[in-house]
Amino acid sequence: MNATGALGRYGEELAARLLTEAGMTVLARNWRYGRAGEIDIVARDGDTVVICEVKTRRAGTFEHPMEAVTPAKAERLRHLAGGWLERHGGVPSGGVRIDLVGVVVPARGAPLVEHVRGVA
């Protein structure tokens, strides 16, 4: 695995921990839907299925992780959410939500982890 891949996996691990500590249950990680792409984390928040995109950046890089969800990316996440629901029993009573976890890793010190609900 290259450095970028390792950084991404580290961010996903921090995100999964954050979601779990917030009371969610992680159902899947890195779930692939054919050629359409991959969902970083699928979780359950009560009766709601949460599709979670994780973006990890090193501190000082040009783009903040929260800026990474463009309209095209949001549309792809909605498509992937539909794929998950199709393969896992349809829309639950609490519906589906798309969240973003942004992770900024500084050169020193603890990473900053932000969770934003309902981004798309």
Side-chain angles (χ1 to χ4, degrees):
M1 180 181 302
N2 64 23
T4 302
L7 181 67
R9 294 285 180 226
Y10 175 64
E12 288 175 8
E13 188 62 38
L14 292 174
R17 191 176 316 152
L18 175 82
L19 297 175
T20 301
E21 288 171 358
M24 295 186 204
T25 303
V26 173
L27 303 175
R29 290 178 62 177
N30 305 114
W31 183 78
R32 293 206 58 81
Y33 186 52
R35 294 181 181 202
E38 177 182 280
I39 298 172
D40 294 329
I41 298 173
V42 180
R44 186 171 30 84
D45 186 8
D47 292 337
T48 303
V49 168
V50 178
I51 305 301
C52 188
E53 179 72 6
V54 181
K55 292 295 181 186
T56 307
R57 301 287 187 264
R58 294 195 184 283
T61 57
F62 180 71
E63 181 184 69
H64 188 277
M66 297 300 187
E67 297 172 3
V69 179
T70 63
K73 179 73 165 188
E75 182 58 36
R76 188 178 67 78
L77 289 169
R78 285 190 287 274
H79 177 70
L80 290 168
W84 170 270
L85 295 171
E86 173 187 304
R87 293 196 178 164
H88 293 89
V91 180
S93 61
V96 65
R97 184 178 79 224
I98 298 175
D99 290 4
L100 173 65
V101 174
V103 180
V104 178
V105 180
R108 290 189 178 144
L112 173 65
V113 184
E114 296 178 75
H115 177 204
V116 180
R117 297 169 184 253
V119 297

